[in-house]
Amino acid sequence: MDGAGGPGEGPAQEALQSLSQRLQVQEKEMELVKAALAEALRLLRLQAPPTSLQDSGMPTPTRDSPAAPPGLPPTCSPSLVSRGTQTETEVEMEPSPGPPGLSNGPPAPQGGSEEPSGTQSEGGGSSSSGTGSPGGTGSPGILRLVHLPQHTDTARRNSSSSSPSERPRQKLSRKAASSANLLLRSGSTESRWGKDPLSSPGGPGSRRSNYNLEGISVKMFLRGRPITMYIPSGIRSLEELPSGPPPETLSLDWVYGYRGRDSRSNLFVLRSGEVVYFIACVVVLYRPGGGPGGPGGGGQRHYRGHTDCVRCLAVHPDGVRVASGQTAGVDKDGKPLQPVVHVWDSETLLKLQEIGLGAFERGVGALAFSVADQGAFLCVVDDSNEHMLSVWDCSRGSKLAEIKSTNDSVLAVGFSPRDSSCIVTSGKSHVHFWNWSGGAGVPGNGTLTRKQGVFGKYKKPKFIPCFVFLPDGDILTGDSEGNILTWGRSLSDGKTPGRGGAKETYGIVAQAHAHEGSIFALCLRRDGTVLSGGGRDRRLVQWGPGLVALQEAEIPEHFGAVRAIAEGLGSELLVGTTKNALLRGDLAQGFSPVIQGHTDELWGLCTHPFQNRFLTCGHDRQLCLWDGEGHALAWSIDLKETGLCADFHPSGAVVAVGLNTGRWLVLDTETREIVSDFTDGNEQLSVVRYSPDGLYLAIGSHDNMIYIYSVSSDGAKSSRFGRCVGHSSFITHLDWSKDGNFIMSNSGDYEILYWDVAGGCKLLRNRYESRDREWATYTCVLGFHVYGVWPDGSDGTDINSLCRSHNERVVAVADDFCKVHLFQYPCARAKAPSLVYGGHGSHVTSVRFTHNDSHLISLGGKDASIFQWRVLGAGGAGPALATPSRTPSLSPASSLDV
């Protein structure tokens, strides 16, 4: 039965179920024995290569032989063509096998006597028949039958040709894969979305393509596994397909999210009134609209000069220049990239100076401009083990002094506003007061000496996340115990003037208990009062002279704790939170969100069928509906489980969401109520997709099956229709045909299978007949129309998501190297050029066009960012953000990096 119910409670039912399971295991073992015997026969035939079709045992062509596909050279016999186009025996000798334990061909029907030559997928190697090459290698245009080497997947799948340690794994690969088997082959959720840890034993993974039969098919290789794709009948030559990058371009329109969960020094207000913050590799300049506490509105500009995630910011005393530091990261080949600080103009978004390239390790953790010298100097603390503290000349970009700071983490750094020779750092269990001697401005001649803050009778906290300088020269620190400590200069050193004098000495002069839990932020206001932001209690408190509490407000719990505070125009305050929200308002009227985002890795994305809205879900268990026109969160609900995929019903009234437990939900998009709740298997769900007419719902699972449900006209009710069984690895992508009767699907071992859903969820064995089928969407990453998007040297996991535009002119690609690509469609030429767009700081997990192709939505993985790109047409819709320039891309082909 296809039902999802649990086992019976009676002993008889349990015994019956146990017998049924044993019978299935025995049947599958018989399949393995049959396959082993067939392979043994094939090996015997190979010992004496035949010189003719008669000697090889291949039947002579008869009237009953299948007809040759159109375009096949007449020198090939129909029998040979039929076998050649349905198997992988025509591939060239390829010594690099696929990943161990991944079988590409689905199991043969139980009790059947089909020969091993009957393959069912376009991807990967399959068992071959014992036919030889007619007359040697043959001439161009004639099908060449060349058997795969015995160390490829064909031999590996058969228990008779494997070692005892591999047999249990091969046995599992012939079944519907279990959780343990998937972990061995490609990992759990993390591994499936990341790199395959298993490498090809025959050498590094490669992606190559070549003609299989002129005018019939093309073949590409991923990790040594052949993938055959049949050319549609309307295409006479691949040379007539479009070449070059598409005329359409992308312009970054809006960035959803704010990095408050794990970063500090991330929120400031510029002289122009714009709010500056960062997420992923982008520094966002946001201009709020409306009044304090009112609706968001406003607009965004973006500084996109960084090549990896931004970790901290500092604003120059002039309120225009900005310094931003990035993490190190790695390039597409795994080589480390050097962290660096950019100093740039917030009005023109032009980079003025690049500081510290090659001088920092791991990343830049904290930044500060000097104040007394009108921002002439920049202090930087990196993320190395010693947390190197360095001082730089901003105009020249030269290093003036450097010293090992501490082995403990440093969370904040700042110059005294009265004397640039005094620098303060704080972090884990320490406050350090530094005296900097500039060395007459000579690079490298400056010295830094340290005075450690002594807590004396006061309890030493675990962390001091923040501090602020008061106008009278005192320093306030906020710590993890919820206390605000006042540090004052000692009398003996209070009269020491200027740079190069004696070391400054500070001592604790006052303590005030301000919050329950840690204090994450302190902010000095223009009127001399101080604001403190709490972690556990989420309170925002205003303090007057003598640390007297004047006013307070509490941040709603669903926004998280206070991470950063910035003073806006008038009484307006900007508050960043640990749940990646940016709030706007004041202490009297409260706060409302103007920027919101996810807090963990994102995977699920779908766009509304007729509105500029889209839905996202991920590892933070939040399901969010976004308004693409208002640039705001429409609503959000807690799924209680990780959401990995979603799709709108064509009516837009409901949305289906697949979870990591095999459970899937259908929610009403207006009321947000769950109208259906099903579970299919216990593996994670990778893709859910409604048919174009909304009558069916297909659910692709990591248990290798596609579950098909019949859906009511309003989408609220669903009932099991059938299952598509035949994939030998987890389902990754699927698409419906335009008539809603067929499905094309991809799997984790690079199979391409076709299914007749209306005919009873049957596997279409003759894949050649599906070459002209039209697809309502194209999100499968493997197929003739998109095989050109794969870069050379790909290991099969370099492309996470793909989406064809509704007008079928371009295809967008999300890769594993933080980039979004735009190709022409169809993209069926090897090494196709693309437009390449950066900005994400993690692997890009999904891309989707909006209903009218006006925008493209892309999701960052671990950076939890959502980018909304405006699609600019070829007819003069406007220039892209930056002029395209030739740079190396993932492929040796030319790409334009925008």
Side-chain angles (χ1 to χ4, degrees):
M1 293 180 62
D2 290 333
E9 297 180 357
Q13 289 183 342
E14 292 179 357
L16 181 61
Q17 185 179 18
S18 177
L19 290 174
S20 176
Q21 292 176 349
R22 291 177 57 188
L23 180 61
Q24 291 178 4
V25 171
Q26 291 175 355
E27 288 175 343
K28 293 186 180 296
E29 290 176 348
M30 289 298 297
E31 292 177 23
L32 290 174
V33 173
K34 292 177 182 178
L37 291 174
E39 179 65 13
L41 290 174
R42 189 175 73 84
L43 295 176
L44 290 175
R45 290 172 185 161
L46 288 176
Q47 300 304 317
T51 58
S52 66
L53 293 178
Q54 287 77 14
D55 293 338
S56 67
M58 178 173 283
T60 304
T62 63
R63 292 182 183 179
D64 297 331
S65 300
L72 188 71
T75 54
C76 293
S77 68
S79 175
L80 181 60
V81 172
S82 174
R83 190 175 297 275
T85 56
Q86 295 302 312
T87 71
E88 305 302 336
T89 57
E90 72 275 15
V91 302
E92 298 179 350
M93 191 72 72
E94 190 65 30
S96 176
L102 293 182
S103 63
N104 272 355
Q110 295 183 2
S113 59
E114 183 181 1
E115 294 182 3
S117 63
T119 186
Q120 299 176 357
S121 71
E122 294 187 14
S126 62
S127 299
S128 305
S129 68
T131 56
S133 174
T137 59
S139 59
I142 298 179
L143 177 62
R144 293 181 291 128
L145 297 180
V146 183
H147 298 284
L148 289 173
Q150 297 313 304
H151 58 268
T152 59
D153 293 351
T154 302
R156 189 179 303 111
R157 285 203 307 274
N158 296 325
S159 59
S160 61
S161 59
S162 62
S163 64
S165 62
E166 291 179 344
R167 288 172 187 167
R169 194 156 149 201
Q170 294 166 353
K171 204 169 181 181
L172 283 173
S173 69
R174 298 289 296 182
K175 305 177 185 179
S178 65
S179 299
N181 190 33
L182 287 174
L183 286 172
L184 285 174
R185 297 183 332 203
S186 59
S188 58
T189 307
E190 289 289 334
S191 296
R192 176 261 176 273
W193 305 127
K195 295 293 182 186
D196 191 338
L198 301 174
S199 61
S200 173
S206 64
R207 171 252 189 247
R208 298 191 298 105
S209 64
N210 63 284
Y211 289 99
N212 186 13
L213 285 174
E214 185 68 28
I216 296 296
S217 66
V218 293
K219 188 181 298 294
M220 63 181 286
F221 293 83
L222 290 176
R223 298 176 66 94
R225 303 173 72 84
I227 302 171
T228 304
M229 294 158 289
Y230 294 102
I231 303 174
S233 58
I235 298 177
R236 293 173 295 180
S237 171
L238 295 183
E239 300 302 321
E240 68 185 25
L241 294 174
S243 61
E248 290 82 359
T249 59
L250 299 179
S251 173
L252 187 56
D253 181 43
W254 197 266
V255 176
Y256 299 85
Y258 152 83
R259 186 164 182 170
R261 179 171 57 101
D262 61 350
S263 66
R264 295 168 175 81
S265 301
N266 56 16
L267 181 64
F268 298 91
V269 177
L270 303 175
R271 186 180 66 183
S272 63
E274 290 176 300
V275 182
V276 58
Y277 60 94
F278 58 83
I279 183 171
C281 305
V282 178
V283 183
V284 182
L285 293 87
Y286 169 66
R287 183 179 297 278
Q300 282 186 357
R301 296 189 298 139
H302 310 97
Y303 176 74
R304 295 172 55 196
H306 286 282
T307 58
D308 215 292
C309 287
V310 182
R311 294 303 308 272
C312 53
L313 291 176
V315 174
H316 195 274
D318 63 11
V320 175
R321 282 175 282 178
V322 179
S324 49
Q326 72 174 56
T327 190
V330 295
D331 64 9
K332 68 182 184 69
D333 298 320
K335 297 179 181 179
L337 296 174
Q338 295 175 328
V340 69
V341 174
H342 288 188
V343 179
W344 46 279
D345 190 309
S346 64
E347 294 178 348
T348 63
L349 298 181
L350 295 177
K351 182 169 63 176
L352 305 175
Q353 192 70 255
E354 190 171 86
I355 292 178
L357 184 63
F360 309 128
E361 292 185 21
R362 296 181 183 169
V364 179
L367 290 169
F369 280 104
S370 62
V371 179
D373 296 296
Q374 289 77 46
F377 306 107
L378 180 70
C379 187
V380 182
V381 181
D382 72 5
D383 285 331
S384 64
N385 290 337
E386 297 83 11
H387 296 93
M388 301 299 294
L389 173 67
S390 54
V391 180
W392 299 76
D393 186 316
C394 293
S395 60
R396 300 177 182 177
S398 57
K399 182 165 58 178
L400 303 178
E402 183 180 44
I403 192 173
K404 294 180 180 179
S405 171
T406 174
N407 289 333
D408 294 324
S409 59
V410 178
L411 304 179
V413 63
F415 283 92
S416 169
R418 305 173 67 182
D419 185 359
S420 294
S421 66
C422 177
I423 300 173
V424 178
T425 61
S426 70
K428 183 178 180 180
S429 302
H430 76 271
V431 177
H432 291 163
F433 303 94
W434 302 86
N435 183 265
W436 168 46
S437 174
V442 179
N445 282 1
T447 59
L448 287 160
T449 55
R450 184 182 74 183
K451 175 74 174 180
Q452 187 164 345
V454 179
F455 289 86
K457 64 178 181 179
Y458 299 96
K459 181 180 179 181
K460 188 176 184 179
K462 292 183 179 180
F463 290 94
I464 299 114
C466 54
F467 63 85
V468 67
F469 291 94
L470 296 179
D472 60 4
D474 289 347
I475 298 173
L476 299 183
T477 60
D479 60 39
S480 55
E481 304 297 323
N483 296 321
I484 297 178
L485 297 178
T486 304
W487 300 76
R489 293 187 183 186
S490 64
L491 296 178
S492 59
D493 288 339
K495 299 180 181 180
T496 304
R499 185 177 303 132
K503 293 186 293 184
E504 301 288 356
T505 302
Y506 285 84
I508 300 174
V509 297
Q511 173 182 291
H513 186 71
H515 294 270
E516 296 298 325
S518 183
I519 299 175
F520 285 160
L522 291 173
C523 173
L524 178 66
R525 304 195 68 175
R526 287 185 290 268
D527 60 5
T529 61
V530 174
L531 291 169
S532 64
R536 185 184 305 169
D537 60 10
R538 308 184 312 281
R539 290 166 55 236
L540 198 64
V541 183
Q542 183 179 14
W543 304 90
L547 291 179
V548 177
L550 303 177
Q551 197 174 6
E552 69 175 65
E554 184 174 329
I555 303 300
E557 182 177 3
H558 60 275
F559 292 130
V562 177
R563 174 63 77 194
I565 309 169
E567 189 175 23
L569 301 177
S571 62
E572 181 179 283
L573 296 174
L574 283 303
V575 178
T577 74
T578 56
K579 289 190 176 179
N580 293 353
L582 185 60
L583 311 180
R584 180 175 172 232
D586 56 38
L587 295 174
Q589 300 179 14
F591 296 86
S592 61
V594 290
I595 298 293
Q596 290 178 267
H598 284 272
T599 59
D600 208 341
E601 189 168 359
L602 293 176
W603 280 100
L605 170 66
C606 61
T607 53
H608 197 279
F610 50 83
Q611 295 178 0
N612 193 9
R613 290 188 164 201
F614 58 94
L615 187 140
T616 58
C617 57
H619 289 197
D620 62 358
R621 303 182 177 184
Q622 296 296 307
L623 181 69
C624 299
L625 180 67
W626 304 89
D627 181 357
E629 294 181 359
H631 303 135
L633 179 66
W635 53 257
S636 174
I637 64 171
D638 188 356
L639 293 173
K640 308 298 183 184
E641 298 175 34
T642 297
L644 296 177
C645 50
D647 193 39
F648 279 100
H649 187 269
S651 67
V654 297
V655 63
V657 183
L659 308 178
N660 67 328
T661 58
R663 182 178 171 220
W664 58 276
L665 312 171
V666 178
L667 295 93
D668 188 299
T669 56
E670 293 297 328
T671 64
R672 310 173 214 173
E673 295 180 353
I674 297 175
V675 297
S676 297
D677 188 339
F678 294 87
T679 299
D680 286 300
N682 57 4
E683 303 279 352
Q684 68 183 50
L685 304 180
S686 304
V687 54
V688 294
R689 187 62 52 83
Y690 282 101
S691 61
D693 53 14
L695 298 181
Y696 294 106
L697 174 64
I699 302 154
S701 172
H702 264 228
D703 66 6
N704 305 1
M705 298 185 187
I706 302 175
Y707 299 90
I708 307 296
Y709 280 76
S710 297
V711 180
S712 61
S713 58
D714 60 356
K717 296 181 180 180
S718 304
S719 59
R720 173 75 72 82
F721 178 79
R723 293 184 301 176
C724 297
V725 182
H727 271 296
S728 54
S729 186
F730 54 86
I731 313 302
T732 58
H733 307 82
L734 64 84
D735 290 292
W736 286 91
S737 61
K738 289 186 177 180
D739 59 13
N741 294 327
F742 300 91
I743 282 178
M744 170 175 59
S745 58
N746 293 167
S747 63
D749 56 356
Y750 324 131
E751 288 179 321
I752 308 173
L753 297 187
Y754 300 93
W755 311 88
D756 181 359
V757 175
C761 302
K762 297 178 180 178
L763 176 64
L764 299 177
R765 298 181 182 275
N766 190 346
R767 296 166 286 101
Y768 179 80
E769 295 180 352
S770 297
R771 70 193 188 283
D772 291 329
R773 188 159 285 121
E774 295 184 345
W775 303 101
T777 59
Y778 213 118
T779 61
C780 285
V781 298
L782 296 173
F784 171 79
H785 295 82
V786 297
Y787 87 90
V789 308
W790 285 89
D792 268 348
S794 174
D795 68 355
T797 63
D798 292 338
I799 294 178
N800 296 317
S801 177
L802 177 151
C803 182
R804 182 190 68 192
S805 61
H806 295 85
N807 60 21
E808 302 187 11
R809 293 177 55 181
V810 294
V811 58
V813 170
D815 74 16
D816 228 29
F817 310 106
C818 315
K819 298 294 189 293
V820 174
H821 297 251
L822 207 61
F823 293 86
Q824 285 205 67
Y825 180 87
C827 186
R829 299 182 69 170
K831 301 180 181 180
S834 66
L835 297 175
V836 187
Y837 297 87
H840 285 289
S842 177
H843 52 288
V844 187
T845 56
S846 188
V847 285
R848 290 292 182 269
F849 286 95
T850 55
H851 70 101
N852 58 359
D853 294 331
S854 62
H855 293 84
L856 175 74
I857 311 299
S858 62
L859 300 185
K862 292 185 178 299
D863 64 25
S865 64
I866 305 171
F867 286 9
Q868 180 173 307
W869 307 85
R870 185 178 299 277
V871 180
L872 304 179
L881 274 181
T883 303
S885 60
R886 295 268 179 186
T887 62
S889 70
L890 301 181
S891 170
S894 299
S895 293
L896 301 180
D897 191 6
V898 179

